[in-house]
Amino acid sequence: MNMATRVLAVIAALSIAGALSAPFKRISDPAELREIASAPVGGASMLAILGGYKSVIADFIWIRAYCAWEKKDSAECSASIDLACSLDPQMATFWTQGARMIAQDMPHWFLARLPKAERDEASLKLFRRKQALVAIALLDRGLKLNPDNLQMLIAKGQILISVEKFAEAEKVFAKAKTLSDEFYSRRIYASLAAKNGKFDAALKELEKMLSEAEADNPVRAALTDEIQRVNSLKKLSEK
């Protein structure tokens, strides 16, 4: 990178940072912020000029997201998450933690803004479902760029489970378990398959895990119990 390009990169970085850190400027529109980041500078976009500086700016924006999270400022938090992910799409933590903030924390913020008489479980459930859709859309963007990212797949599957979308969650964990031999993804897949009435698929996965576990592995007892439970459910379904 020559000196002129370095100067432009610094100017671009400072322009973005200044736009997002002004003490009285409120971050509220992700599309507007992406427009700022892609604004032309000397015939190229800021993002193109920034090059390796993008991850530095993304870290700065992520701190802004966390600060907004602490203040329970959903608009600024969402917009900062969106921009951090756009600036550094390879950083899985931005996608996964951002999605969890949106799906798990924000519903409670919205509930707290309602009159006390309306703060009930039904309202919270509605907020959870709405925010889950937003969080899943964010993760789908990340997975489009990083289709085999295990962290993102697990985060998506967990959010789907939290709003009882078990069929969709099963598909997500079916892919997740092909990316790693870890116990968690495979166990959750088997549990979801059983919940969705796919007892043979669940038993196949559980029995395979049991066969792979060492004789002294404490997980064998849990797997044996789960196999018995799924077999019982299968017999009940056949009556």
Side-chain angles (χ1 to χ4, degrees):
M1 183 185 288
N2 60 36
M3 182 57 70
T5 305
R6 284 178 181 275
V7 171
L8 284 173
V10 172
I11 292 172
L14 291 173
S15 296
I16 294 176
L20 299 177
S21 62
F24 302 109
K25 182 174 178 63
R26 199 181 151 76
I27 299 175
S28 58
D29 187 348
E32 180 184 353
L33 297 181
R34 284 196 297 271
E35 185 178 344
I36 291 171
S38 59
V41 178
S45 73
M46 284 187 182
L47 289 180
I49 292 169
L50 283 172
Y53 291 96
K54 286 190 291 185
S55 62
V56 176
I57 300 299
D59 289 342
F60 175 83
I61 301 303
W62 183 252
I63 293 171
R64 294 286 297 179
Y66 183 75
C67 290
W69 174 82
E70 288 187 320
K71 297 174 184 175
K72 300 183 180 180
D73 187 332
S74 56
E76 185 162 349
C77 186
S78 295
S80 296
I81 290 167
D82 184 276
L83 187 55
C85 290
S86 296
L87 286 169
D88 193 356
Q90 300 307 311
M91 181 61 76
T93 301
F94 292 167
W95 300 100
T96 58
Q97 294 303 316
R100 290 185 176 112
M101 288 178 189
I102 291 168
Q104 297 172 6
D105 299 325
M106 291 186 188
H108 293 279
W109 303 352
F110 296 141
L111 185 73
R113 295 173 191 169
L114 294 178
K116 285 187 178 181
E118 297 177 25
R119 296 177 198 170
D120 53 23
E121 190 61 32
S123 296
L124 180 59
K125 188 173 183 179
L126 180 60
F127 285 133
R128 280 176 174 160
R129 287 191 172 276
K130 288 182 176 178
Q131 290 306 113
L133 292 175
V134 177
I136 290 166
L138 177 73
L139 286 168
D140 281 343
R141 275 177 51 207
L143 286 166
K144 188 174 181 180
L145 299 170
N146 311 278
D148 293 330
N149 188 284
L150 183 62
Q151 289 176 263
M152 293 187 204
L153 284 167
I154 288 175
K156 180 179 178 180
Q158 290 171 332
I159 291 170
L160 286 167
I161 290 171
S162 74
V163 290
E164 301 180 350
K165 291 184 177 291
F166 302 120
E168 293 177 44
E170 180 194 335
K171 293 177 183 177
V172 172
F173 277 101
K175 179 171 183 179
K177 76 184 182 70
T178 68
L179 301 176
S180 170
D181 288 333
E182 68 175 20
F183 176 77
Y184 179 78
S185 296
R186 298 171 71 185
R187 181 179 65 84
I188 297 301
Y189 163 75
S191 176
L192 288 166
K195 183 178 285 290
N196 293 327
K198 299 177 183 178
F199 303 112
D200 289 337
L203 289 168
K204 181 180 178 181
E205 190 66 37
L206 291 167
E207 288 165 358
K208 186 171 186 294
M209 292 169 68
L210 184 62
S211 70
E212 294 170 359
E214 298 291 338
D216 60 348
N217 192 327
V219 80
R220 291 182 64 88
L223 288 171
T224 301
D225 289 344
E226 184 65 4
I227 288 169
Q228 291 176 350
R229 186 184 75 84
V230 174
N231 269 318
S232 296
L233 290 173
K234 181 181 178 182
K235 289 176 182 177
L236 285 172
S237 72
E238 292 170 348
K239 288 183 179 180

